[in-house]
Amino acid sequence: MGFANYSARPKLVIFTLYTDVKPFTSSRPCAPQGWQRAFLAALRSGVKYTLSNSLMRQAILITSLYAFLIRGTLEILPVIADGIFAKGAAGLGILTSIAGFGAIVAGITKVFTQSQKAGEIPKLVIASALLGVALIPLVGLSNTWELTVGYICYLGLLQLYPAFQSKQRFKWICLITFEDAL
């Protein structure tokens, strides 16, 4: 009785269960004819509506700035830590943790500030997006480690602003995170 006999048994049980259950399952019906045209028409309608609404255009622009530029800068922290400053893994750990510290400060700040008014983007979000974009070249041009750590901390703080548009959402995220940790 070698090893092969023991490893084949679970596969045989799974195969047997699958073949016993398969006749009792039903498949989904096929999509009706022309669903591709209906989907593209609905997509086109959604894009038209989004582009016609100035608030949605602003929100998409600000979110794009955060997602592509600010968050993208935080993704190259290994290059900054080791390639520019030769700090290695310890430097990467410092930059990563300081960006996390900035995010924690942003979350706490968001809890204690007023909720966002419906139908407008807070001025702080717009200002922080523009300041964050201005800080990106400074991160690359900085010659001092301490200044770069400060820039990264601020970029970590900025990445949280568009995500938490209400205090309640932040509280739920914290609650879910802390419950999962327990």
Side-chain angles (χ1 to χ4, degrees):
M1 296 256 192
F3 178 73
N5 290 340
Y6 290 110
S7 68
R9 286 181 185 162
K11 293 176 187 172
L12 181 62
V13 169
I14 291 171
F15 177 75
T16 305
L17 289 175
Y18 176 74
T19 54
D20 289 343
V21 173
K22 182 66 178 158
F24 300 108
T25 61
S26 61
S27 60
R28 295 185 309 172
C30 294
Q33 292 292 335
W35 70 271
Q36 291 101 344
R37 279 183 251 119
F39 172 76
L40 290 176
L43 182 65
R44 197 172 11 261
S45 171
V47 169
K48 278 184 186 177
Y49 175 74
T50 302
L51 293 178
S52 69
N53 187 328
S54 65
L55 182 67
M56 291 178 86
R57 280 194 317 265
Q58 289 174 2
I60 289 172
L61 177 67
I62 290 172
T63 303
S64 298
L65 286 175
Y66 278 100
F68 295 118
L69 298 177
I70 296 171
R71 183 66 196 159
T73 302
L74 294 176
E75 294 297 329
I76 61 165
L77 290 181
V79 175
I80 295 170
D82 196 34
I84 296 175
F85 293 104
K87 296 285 184 176
L92 177 60
I94 290 170
L95 289 180
T96 305
S97 62
I98 202 70
F101 175 75
I104 289 171
V105 170
I108 292 170
T109 304
K110 193 65 177 171
V111 167
F112 292 112
T113 57
Q114 289 183 348
S115 294
Q116 173 183 341
K117 294 176 186 168
E120 70 179 40
I121 296 175
K123 304 255 186 283
L124 182 61
V125 171
I126 296 170
S128 64
L130 296 176
L131 186 59
V133 170
L135 280 178
I136 292 171
L138 296 178
V139 170
L141 296 174
S142 175
N143 292 329
T144 62
W145 173 251
E146 293 79 14
L147 195 57
T148 302
V149 167
Y151 291 152
I152 297 297
C153 181
Y154 192 74
L155 289 176
L157 185 137
L158 291 179
Q159 72 178 344
L160 218 55
Y161 271 111
F164 298 129
Q165 296 299 323
S166 70
K167 291 186 261 186
Q168 189 63 35
R169 193 178 310 155
F170 177 73
K171 290 175 186 173
W172 277 109
I173 289 172
C174 286
L175 180 67
I176 290 168
T177 303
F178 293 139
E179 282 181 354
D180 288 344
L182 296 177

